[in-house]
Amino acid sequence: MSTVRLTMAQAVIRFLKNQFVARDGIEQAFFAGCWGIFGHGNVAGIGQALQENPDFRYYQTRNEQAMVHTAAAFAKMNDRLQTFACTTSIGPGATNMVTAAAGATINRLPVLLLPGDIFARRNVAPVLQQLELPYSQDISVNDCFKPVSRYWDRINRADQVISALPEAMRVLTSPTETGTATLSLPQDVQAEAFDYPERLFEKRVWSIPRPRPDRNLLGKAVEWIRGSRAPLIIAGGGVIYSQATEALSRLAEVTGIPVAETQAGKGSLRYDASGSLGAMGVTGTPGANILAREADLIIGIGTRYSDFTSASKTAFQNPDARFININIAEFDAHKHAGLPIVADARAALEELEAGLEGFTVGEEYRARVEKFNREWDAEVSRLYNLEHGPPISQGEVIGAVNGIAAPRDVVVCAAGSLPGDLHKLWRTRDPKGYHLEYGYSCMGYEIAGGLGVKMAAPEREVYVMVGDGSYLMMAQEIVTSIQEGYKLNVVLIDNHGFASIGGLSESIGSGGFGTRYRRRDEASGQLDGEVLPVDFAANARSLGAHVIEARDLPSLREALAEARDQTRTTVVVIETDREERVPGYESWWDVPVAEVSEMESVRAARRAYEAALGKERHHL
Ligand SMILES: Cc1ncc(C[n+]2csc(CCOP(=O)(O)OP(=O)(O)O)c2C)c(N)n1
Ligand SMILES: [Mg+2]
């Protein structure tokens, strides 16, 4: 076998360059390059290898956590068919990635992490940034990646990558296994040479399958659907990743089975499709939640059934309710004791459509769904046009952004009160038009993630909606967006702190404790002094963004139009009234309240909590 002498790091990059995926006959490179920050743990290894391979582009980030968000967002926008590798030094550079690694794994998005690691050779230990443990030399901070990775390995000899790299690829490209893959690369081994077999670097195409459902189980599903009076589809992220949205729209239209959407599944149906009930669960619409409560059959497609979807297991109250779960992952297909249709969503929907020929829900049910859809649209219009303040309401800001966004533009968000409000209010007109990271709901994802979305779809305008709290946690990727020439429209909502958790705190009797951005007051000793004087406009400007400050709805609309016409990242700052909230509709979320307290407000909240707990169900 012919060989080529390379350093381990050079072998890794050469291998990654030659990995492709194919689905439905369309082939593409799996990696779009490598993000990173160099330190002593990777500069002479992966850093040198990247320099030698300019066709595998190196991207510089400001923060290692951010680059993993960017990579995950890029993968999400690409329906998991393309992603980035991420390289770091050892120690803090590596562990900075742990948070976003968990986010990618939870959201089932492929990202390859290449953290540097301590010397395999050991003789110079402890090296700078090494974690020393008295009971083992076989542990480094990179072991923190084990629970948040779907594949984890440490390369202690240069030849180990020959078996590790294909395993990492298997996991990354598997629709059921995918998430973070971590290859810890000891700093000394990265630079060591080995005679690698040439075959390792030949072009390799990983086929993304569309497994078809088991015939017997599908037959049973058809039977269950034909026998149901009030079926409901819950569309999750799997519908979108499988590119099954057209198949779903067709099935919904022909059969009249209504569709409610999770955060990851929003956009499965256009907001104005007659069978669309909009958002499902805690942050859902009245139509979705009332019909879920009554449904005798729930057809979950590509959903993990998070507590936000199941309303902490209170959403489905019909004692006869059964579940059919169409999911590529057996793990999810078995949830709620459902009939497990382990299959690709699009393949299963096509077969279901054929099996359901002639079936339609009753006229009355169909009319009810359409009525819910119309009524909800009127409610959205009301919240878009409240004429509150100034400061205006967050619902009005969402309305203004939705109004300026073209159908194929993308809204990006992750944490705070915005995800719930967007889930309810955003009028989605394209399957990729709504990008929420709500598996991990990680503050700081927004701008970094928006960058990944823009890199995946430069032809679309990207609207990053971010709260002041999230912005202060991680805004620095504005710099990267300018460095790389990817323009973002950032809408920064300043409500002086954590409106979401503030509201939650009030609901559990704690009155918003610790959630406002205020100075410490000398007299009270509490954080209830003056509002903190953060100048967000100056902050964003200092990072290189074009900045516009809006005061009210007309100036916000003007600012958004100006932002759209800019060529560099533009930040629109708008103050909102934190207390003018979009209400909840027909749902509940389990956040346990203190069982004993000296505060009457907490005791009252606990009584209400205990009453609500009774609605939680086991689906067995
Ligand atoms: C990294 C991280 N830390 C803490 C939380 C808990 N958390 C959820 S929302 C939120 C407040 C977000 O504040 P802001 O971005 O201003 O949005 P707002 O709540 O005001 O809408 C916090 C602290 C989180 N989701 N992520
Ligand atoms: Mg806020």
Side-chain angles (χ1 to χ4, degrees), residues 467-469 493-499:
D468 52 332
I493 296 188
D494 182 7
N495 54 21
H496 311 294
F498 303 160

Side-chain angles (χ1 to χ4, degrees), residues 419-438:
D421 292 0
L422 285 166
H423 194 207
K424 284 177 258 198
L425 302 184
W426 189 260
R427 288 171 169 156
T428 321
R429 294 156 290 174
D430 180 271
K432 303 305 295 184
Y434 183 84
H435 183 116
L436 255 286
E437 189 284 283
Y438 212 64

Side-chain angles (χ1 to χ4, degrees), residues 394 416-417 466-470 493-500 515 517 576 578:
Q394 186 158 281
S417 58
V466 59
D468 52 332
S470 270
I493 296 188
D494 182 7
N495 54 21
H496 311 294
F498 303 160
S500 51
T515 64
Y517 282 171
T576 61
R578 137 181 180 142

Side-chain angles (χ1 to χ4, degrees), residues 260-327:
E261 296 170 328
T262 71
Q263 284 277 15
K266 189 170 162 84
S268 294
L269 235 56
R270 274 185 63 101
Y271 80 98
D272 52 1
S274 58
S276 168
L277 292 168
M280 171 69 210
V282 180
T283 52
T285 67
N289 287 333
I290 291 170
L291 291 192
R293 193 180 303 150
E294 299 171 7
D296 59 355
L297 182 65
I298 295 101
I299 308 161
I301 311 177
T303 175
R304 302 186 301 130
Y305 287 112
S306 84
D307 64 345
F308 263 74
T309 297
S310 77
S312 302
K313 298 278 197 305
T314 65
F316 314 110
Q317 290 293 338
N318 184 332
D320 300 322
R322 295 194 288 190
F323 294 82
I324 296 172
N325 298 328
I326 299 172
N327 209 297

